[in-house]
Amino acid sequence: MHTLFETIEKYRVVPVIAIDDISAALPLADALLEGGLPLAEITFRTQAAAEVIQTLAEKRPELCVGAGTVLTYTNVHDAIQAGAKFGVAPGLNAETIDLAESMEWTFIPGVCTPSEIESALAMNFTVLKFFPAGAMGGIPMLKALSAPYAHTGVRFLPTGGVSESNLADYLALPTVLACGGTWIASKNDIAEGNWEQIKQRCQRIAEIVGQ
Ligand code: 3PG
């Protein structure tokens, strides 16, 4: 039995998904599953997010579904109600963190500076989203940030500007647990029903991760 972080570390990529149309939820899930990447972070950037999470949690239990862009108390509440197994946020927000903790819900807050990392460590988080990874300096920045904190056991989920071309370099950093990104299943791909392309992208990710 894998813990959630073990599952994320096994697949090493978390597709970050913004989905408007509930009818796309199951075909998208099937593309991810058939591609061998059974993880999805459904972001609260659309009105449909909670309903999509609930549909996937009920109808595709083999997919590990989390919530992304968790910004508010209501987002945490709705995500848990809908059955999200974990939550991810771009920043450190006391209100969302407190509720997630009181509900014993796995939460990955976002950081991009040493002080934010230290705040998160003081709150006992061990896995942190590093966002926006590319704009903050990408791999050299994360390498430099890791130096004083690697010994704490902290692991990062870099997101923002990660792509097929730089994935292997991010994953080579020992402090990187996994990478997140929208490139696997973009809004456009979902709107156009490009399920085969999404599936093939997942298969290429599995090859990169396997190398
Ligand atoms: C996120 O919220 O995780 C990011 O917006 C994803 O960034 P990307 O579109 O560059 O992958």
Side-chain angles (χ1 to χ4, degrees):
M1 187 68 178
H2 282 277
T3 67
L4 182 70
F5 290 148
E6 282 170 350
T7 302
I8 292 176
E9 186 168 28
K10 178 176 174 193
Y11 295 101
R12 306 213 73 194
V13 171
V14 180
V16 175
I17 292 158
I19 182 165
D20 286 305
D21 179 3
I22 181 78
S23 70
L26 294 180
L28 170 66
D30 291 338
L32 297 173
L33 289 167
E34 285 166 22
L37 185 52
L39 282 165
E41 178 190 320
I42 306 298
T43 59
F44 275 93
R45 294 179 198 180
T46 70
Q47 292 296 321
E51 200 183 345
V52 169
I53 292 169
Q54 188 165 1
T55 300
L56 296 179
E58 283 173 10
K59 300 201 170 143
R60 292 296 182 274
E62 62 274 47
L63 188 76
C64 180
V65 180
T69 319
V70 175
L71 304 182
T72 65
Y73 185 98
T74 307
N75 290 158
V76 176
H77 175 268
D78 291 353
I80 295 172
Q81 282 283 110
K85 291 200 172 71
F86 63 95
V88 185
L92 270 181
N93 169 339
E95 191 183 42
T96 52
I97 286 170
D98 287 350
L99 180 59
E101 193 179 14
S102 71
M103 300 294 284
E104 295 181 3
W105 190 52
T106 303
F107 197 58
I108 305 175
V111 297
C112 67
T113 66
S115 297
E116 289 165 2
I117 293 170
E118 289 183 29
S119 296
L121 291 176
M123 290 183 244
N124 295 318
F125 285 103
T126 55
V127 177
L128 306 173
K129 170 166 166 155
F130 174 54
F131 177 81
M136 288 305 296
I139 292 155
M141 172 66 166
L142 189 50
K143 211 170 173 180
L145 271 180
S146 296
Y149 301 112
H151 71 281
T152 68
V154 70
R155 304 293 300 281
F156 295 102
L157 178 71
T159 310
V162 182
S163 66
E164 217 170 280
S165 61
N166 60 18
L167 176 63
D169 292 334
Y170 273 106
L171 294 181
L173 295 185
T175 52
V176 170
L177 180 79
C179 290
T182 58
W183 91 93
I184 306 117
S186 69
K187 259 192 138 171
N188 197 37
D189 279 327
I190 295 169
E192 290 180 3
N194 291 335
W195 313 127
E196 188 56 32
Q197 283 92 321
I198 293 171
K199 179 178 151 184
Q200 286 172 8
R201 242 171 252 139
C202 294
Q203 290 167 337
R204 285 201 298 275
I205 286 168
E207 281 169 24
I208 293 169
V209 168
Q211 278 160 14

